[in-house]
């Protein structure tokens, strides 16, 4: 039944007609197609996951290209979080394969995934509020002097933190500012900076703009774009808020009932169209439920 | 399709304005948690030296140093634990017990030097035990160290049969270095405090201690070995408390089995807290603790000098704690608003 629905949507999606500059859209998708073959940094094949009798993921085939920001959309309980937790090594999949830069990998822990350059960025969990920006950037990778004394080279770390933040155009008052005195957007920016500073190639972001004002969001949006375009960092973002996703992402995957049912370039679609898809799916499921009840 | 007008609208992040001298001084005052207690210390010293010129006499300064040293050392050790949002209630009892271990070993014919070395080692093991119970058995440190405190206090009473005993090693050059000479205890105290200060301020260990206290989960996520950090902090406070305890006993010369370890420990915690260290972790100042210990020492000594009954001391000490804490909390709120 899932398949018939899928076929239906792909026939009648009509995004090409809805988009004002359909010609440009076509060009973009062609150029994207060319990249697809060579530069897929993360790929999954038939990822399945159940918790007891509950099937959460039933065959996820996902592709993340280098430098791309991919949004994963789905209702509550569609399996978004489970998917991210498998990719960051927290859960282990029941079936299916994960490939990083073409090589099959097995994650037994979050550390395993991190070693492959995959990192989950949490806004609040990761940073130590009582420490400064540069101390957080270098946490557990401190530069030291005097051998076994492990005396901190604060001057060097400060300078490197300043240079790096300038490099990725993050504007914060000072590298000596305490995290606890910073806004949500600044914290998220520092968390992103730390992950990329420590050579993570793939970032998994869970609602990176949650509870942020417009100015705050702008800081994070700019950073995400800069990291993906200029530094080749690839990101997967899960979020409920379509506006956020449309601002942040290059491509969207719709996750429904444990499968990816749609793969859209953001340029080729609109918030309204996406909402329509999600709502019609919701209605369809209600209708289906009513039918089943009648039977 | 998705337009991002944000690129133009994003204003540069506000930078701190260049500051004048007055502003810088006021900032120094607001930003530094030690500032309040420093002013209290200066005021007290000024008051007592005006009231009684003997305050500055050589013997009186020596007395103050001897009184202050144990409080400062135990306090500095507690700073490490408070930074972790933990506490060690057994530190004062370890301070007393280390000398009793030396005495008991002496009865069994162990030479003094070895006795001291073995005692310091055993006390460090007690610290490790404190840490292990907290970290692996997940007993809150308040309860775990309280238990250890009573076990040690009980052991001292049993082993001494509740009889006041002479401390060995109270003669000769070794005795002089370990506590008999005027400045021995004060210098040992200062040295240990400086070492803890350097450890906390300058080293990866200190940074990871603050990180663990500030966000244990986040620090662990970043790969900080939070459990080892905690165990080592318990070992360090046990070691320094034991060492300064030995100096104290050698100076005084006799051991009272009923001496209250909890009081000694609370004096250290008081020094740490009025010095600007938070009980909730992530904010720690060894310098403030040293000044806090000096305030307690000056208060007690000054009251003696100007002839006020020692009974008043405890009352005034309580008032100073309340006042210093109230000012610190208010300053903290003002700082938070300014940011």
């Amino acid at each position: 039944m899932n398949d018939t629905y899928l076929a239906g949507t792909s026939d009648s999606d009509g995004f090409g007609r809805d988009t004002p500059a359909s010609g440009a859209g076509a060009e973009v998708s062609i150029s994207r197609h060319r990249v697809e073959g060579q530069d897929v940094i993360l790929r999954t094949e038939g990822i399945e996951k159940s918790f007891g009798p509950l099937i959460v993921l039933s065959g996820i085939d996902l592709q993340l290209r280098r430098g791309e920001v991919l949004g994963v959309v789905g209702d509550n309980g569609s399996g978004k979080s489970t998917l991210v937790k498998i990719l960051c090594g927290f859960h282990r999949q029941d079936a299916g394969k994960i490939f990083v830069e073409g090589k099959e990998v097995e994650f037994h822990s979050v550390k395993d995934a991190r070693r492959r350059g995959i990192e989950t960025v949490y806004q609040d969990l990761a940073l130590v509020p009582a420490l400064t920006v540069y101390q957080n950037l270098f946490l557990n990778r401190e530069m030291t002097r005097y051998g076994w004394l492990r005396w901190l080279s604060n001057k060097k770390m400060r300078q490197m933190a300043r240079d790096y933040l300038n490099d990725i155009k993050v504007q914060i008052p000072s590298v000596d500012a305490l995290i606890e005195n910073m806004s949500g957007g600044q914290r998220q920016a520092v968390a992103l900076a730390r992950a990329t500073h420590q050579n993570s190639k793939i970032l998994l972001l869970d609602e990176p703009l949650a509870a942020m004002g417009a100015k705050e969001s702008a800081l994070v949006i700019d950073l995400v774009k800069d990291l993906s375009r200029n530094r080749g960092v690839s990101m997967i973002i899960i979020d409920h808020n379509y506006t956020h996703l449309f601002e942040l992402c290059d491509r969207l995957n719709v996750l429904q009932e444990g499968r990816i049912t749609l793969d859209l370039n953001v340029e080729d679609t609109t918030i309204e169209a996406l909402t329509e898809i999600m709502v019609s799916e919701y209605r369809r499921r209600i209708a289906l439920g009513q039918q089943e009840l009648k039977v | 399709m998705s337009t991002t007008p944000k690129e133009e609208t994003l204003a540069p992040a506000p930078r701190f304005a260049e500051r004048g001298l007055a502003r810088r001084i006021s900032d120094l005052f607001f930003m530094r948690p030690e500032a309040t207690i420093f002013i209290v210390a200066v005021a007290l010293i000024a008051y007592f030296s005006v009231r009684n010129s003997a305050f500055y006499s050589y013997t009186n300064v020596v007395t103050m140093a001897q009184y202050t040293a144990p409080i400062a050392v135990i306090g500095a050790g507690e700073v490490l634990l408070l930074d972790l949002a933990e506490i060690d209630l057994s530190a004062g009892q370890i301070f007393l017990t280390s000398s009793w271990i030396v005495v008991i070993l002496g009865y069994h014919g162990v030479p003094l030097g070895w006795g001291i070395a073995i005692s310091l080692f055993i006390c460090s093991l007690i610290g490790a035990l404190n840490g292990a119970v907290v970290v692996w058995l997940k007993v809150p440190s308040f309860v775990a160290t309280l238990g250890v405190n009573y076990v040690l206090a009980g052991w001292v009473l049993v082993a001494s049969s509740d009889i006041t005993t002479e401390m060995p090693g109270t003669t000769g050059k070794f005795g002089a270095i370990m506590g008999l000479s005027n400045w021995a205890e004060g210098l040992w105290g200062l040295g240990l405090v400086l070492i803890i200060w350097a450890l906390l301020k300058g080293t990866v260990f200190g940074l990871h201690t603050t990180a663990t206290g500030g966000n244990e989960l986040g620090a662990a996520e970043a790969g900080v070995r939070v459990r080892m950090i905690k165990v080592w902090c318990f070992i360090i406070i046990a070691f320094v408390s034991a060492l300064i305890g030995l100096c104290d006993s050698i100076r005084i010369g006799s051991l009272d089995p009923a001496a209250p370890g909890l009081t000694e420990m609370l004096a250290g915690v008081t020094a740490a807290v009025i010095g600007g260290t938070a009980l909730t972790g992530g904010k720690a100042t060894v310098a403030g603790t040293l000044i806090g210990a000096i305030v307690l020492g000056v208060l007690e000594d000054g009251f003696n000098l100007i002839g006020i009954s020692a009974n008043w001391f405890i009352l005034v000490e309580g008032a100073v704690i309340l006042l210093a804490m109230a000012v610190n909390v208010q300053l903290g709120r003002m700082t938070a608003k300014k940011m």
Side-chain angles (χ1 to χ4, degrees):
Chain A
M1 47 138 188
N2 232 342
D3 293 336
T4 45
Y5 166 67
L6 263 181
T9 38
S10 56
D11 280 345
S12 63
D13 65 18
F15 295 133
R17 274 167 280 148
D18 287 350
T19 320
S22 62
E27 261 176 42
V28 168
S29 56
I30 289 166
S31 70
R32 279 179 181 280
H33 240 78
R34 215 182 302 136
V35 197
E36 195 171 343
Q38 349 158 320
D39 219 9
V40 173
I41 189 161
L42 178 74
R43 188 161 65 86
T44 70
E45 241 179 55
I47 297 277
E48 292 177 18
K49 179 76 185 173
S50 311
F51 295 104
L54 181 71
I55 301 167
V56 181
L57 301 177
S58 48
I60 297 284
D61 300 316
L62 172 146
Q63 288 194 341
L64 178 68
R65 298 165 190 120
R66 193 181 301 278
E68 180 185 49
V69 184
L70 172 67
V72 176
V73 197
D75 265 334
N76 290 332
S78 61
K80 288 181 309 221
S81 302
T82 308
L83 177 61
V84 164
K85 280 179 179 156
I86 287 172
L87 293 178
C88 76
F90 188 82
H91 286 321
R92 183 127 166 73
Q93 71 270 28
D94 299 337
K97 293 170 180 172
I98 303 174
F99 300 87
V100 174
E101 295 184 306
K103 265 185 248 162
E104 187 179 346
V105 291
E106 284 197 31
F107 299 149
H108 298 283
S109 69
V110 177
K111 267 188 190 159
D112 276 354
R114 205 170 280 165
R115 230 170 276 139
R116 298 282 178 173
I118 303 181
E119 179 128 26
T120 319
V121 180
Y122 301 99
Q123 182 180 331
D124 286 325
L125 278 181
L127 303 173
V128 180
L131 295 182
T132 63
V133 171
Y134 83 87
Q135 284 169 331
N136 269 290
L137 271 182
F138 282 93
L139 188 59
N140 206 34
R141 303 196 182 198
E142 294 88 357
M143 311 179 77
T144 58
R145 289 176 282 171
Y146 310 137
W148 59 269
L149 261 182
R150 303 194 69 203
W151 196 261
L152 295 164
S153 303
N154 286 316
K155 217 171 157 185
K156 217 156 134 195
M157 285 192 282
R158 251 186 219 119
Q159 192 52 53
M160 285 184 66
R162 224 173 270 139
D163 291 347
Y164 183 67
L165 291 174
N166 276 339
D167 227 28
I168 59 173
K169 303 183 194 77
V170 171
Q171 289 182 319
I172 46 157
S174 151
V175 291
D176 289 309
L178 295 178
I179 296 294
E180 65 192 4
N181 294 330
M182 302 185 95
S183 66
Q186 288 170 328
R187 285 180 200 207
Q188 184 68 265
V190 174
L192 284 166
R194 181 169 84 176
T196 50
H197 188 234
Q198 299 181 346
N199 292 322
S200 302
K201 287 170 286 186
I202 302 166
L203 299 184
L204 310 175
L205 310 182
D206 191 351
E207 304 206 14
L209 302 182
M212 279 183 208
K215 219 167 135 188
E216 295 287 293
S217 302
L219 185 75
V220 177
I221 291 167
D222 287 353
L223 178 57
V224 163
K225 297 217 154 129
D226 183 69
L227 288 173
S228 76
R229 271 174 211 155
N230 302 333
R231 305 226 141 215
V233 177
S234 318
M235 290 175 244
I236 296 180
I237 296 178
I238 55 176
D239 208 313
H240 283 106
N241 187 319
Y242 295 162
T243 319
H244 291 166
L245 286 170
F246 271 77
E247 276 184 298
L248 288 164
C249 301
D250 303 316
R251 197 158 57 93
L252 294 174
N253 278 1
V254 178
L255 196 60
Q256 284 170 331
E257 294 179 352
R259 279 165 188 272
I260 291 171
T261 52
L262 265 180
D263 184 354
L264 308 161
N265 283 331
V266 164
E267 283 104 331
D268 301 342
T269 185
T270 60
I271 295 183
E272 292 74 26
L274 186 65
T275 313
E276 183 56 38
I277 293 171
M278 301 305 283
V279 171
S280 66
E281 159 68 7
Y282 178 66
R283 290 207 183 103
R284 185 190 65 86
R285 255 192 278 169
I286 290 177
L288 209 74
Q290 282 169 346
Q291 253 179 16
E292 275 169 13
L293 277 179
K294 275 179 203 161
V295 175
Chain B
M1 183 66 231
S2 68
T3 52
T4 49
K6 295 287 187 294
E7 262 147 47
E8 292 98 31
T9 53
L10 177 63
R15 295 193 63 86
F16 284 151
E18 287 301 312
R19 285 163 173 173
L21 184 67
R23 181 73 194 276
R24 267 193 222 156
I25 291 170
S26 88
D27 275 356
L28 190 74
F29 189 77
F30 279 116
M31 304 287 184
R32 300 221 69 91
E34 303 92 347
T36 326
I37 199 67
F38 180 74
I39 287 170
V40 172
V42 169
L44 281 177
I45 290 170
Y47 174 73
F48 286 121
S49 49
V50 168
R51 285 292 303 271
N52 191 332
S53 59
F55 185 78
Y56 272 135
S57 70
Y58 179 75
T59 43
N60 193 48
V61 175
V62 167
T63 309
M64 279 195 290
Q66 287 166 349
Y67 179 79
T68 303
I71 301 176
V73 170
I74 294 175
E78 293 287 2
V79 166
L80 292 177
L81 290 164
L82 294 176
D83 197 17
L84 288 169
E86 306 281 355
I87 197 165
D88 184 354
L89 301 184
S90 68
Q93 191 57 50
I94 292 174
F95 166 86
L96 299 169
T97 305
S98 63
S99 306
W100 284 102
I101 296 175
V102 172
V103 169
I104 302 295
L105 288 170
Y107 281 148
H108 292 87
V110 178
L112 181 66
W114 277 104
I116 286 177
I118 294 171
S119 170
L120 289 174
F121 181 69
I122 292 174
C123 289
S124 303
L125 283 185
I126 294 169
L129 176 78
N130 272 333
V133 171
V134 170
V135 165
W136 283 288
L137 297 185
K138 314 238 182 267
V139 179
S141 57
F142 191 95
V143 182
T145 57
L146 194 63
V148 168
N149 172 77
Y150 285 128
V151 168
L152 293 179
W155 176 79
V156 167
L157 287 174
V158 171
S160 68
S161 310
D162 201 7
I163 296 167
T164 302
T165 309
E166 262 182 39
M167 178 72 191
T170 50
T171 52
K173 203 172 174 191
F174 184 73
I177 294 170
M178 284 308 293
L180 280 182
S181 76
N182 279 340
W183 292 103
E185 193 175 355
L187 287 177
W188 275 107
L190 190 64
L192 291 173
V193 170
L194 284 178
I195 288 171
I196 293 175
W197 175 77
L199 194 67
L200 191 60
K201 276 279 165 187
T203 68
V204 171
F205 179 84
L207 185 69
H208 285 186
T209 302
T210 308
T212 304
N215 179 358
E216 185 168 346
L217 193 65
E221 276 279 295
V224 172
R225 299 170 71 196
V226 293
R227 290 190 183 141
M228 286 318 287
I229 295 275
K230 285 191 178 185
V231 172
W232 272 109
C233 285
F234 278 105
I235 293 175
I236 290 168
I237 187 174
F239 179 85
V240 297
S241 303
L243 182 52
I244 201 70
L246 288 170
C247 295
D248 206 55
S249 308
I250 287 174
R251 175 177 66 80
I252 294 167
S254 69
L255 302 175
D256 173 8
L262 285 176
T263 308
E264 201 66 40
M265 175 277 303
L266 275 178
V269 172
T270 304
V273 169
I274 62 177
T277 296
L279 287 170
T280 46
K283 261 194 183 55
T285 156
V286 176
T289 304
L290 178 60
I291 303 171
I294 290 172
V295 162
L296 296 181
V298 166
L299 258 184
E300 167 123 348
D301 182 77
F303 269 53
N304 277 332
L305 271 187
I306 61 176
I308 295 175
S309 150
N311 299 338
W312 278 97
F313 166 67
I314 300 208
L315 195 153
V316 173
E317 190 186 35
V320 168
I321 293 169
L322 287 176
L323 194 72
M325 288 317 294
V327 172
N328 260 354
V329 169
Q330 290 308 313
L331 283 183
R333 288 175 60 178
M334 284 162 81
T335 317
K337 269 183 208 154
K338 272 156 63 96
M339 290 304 288

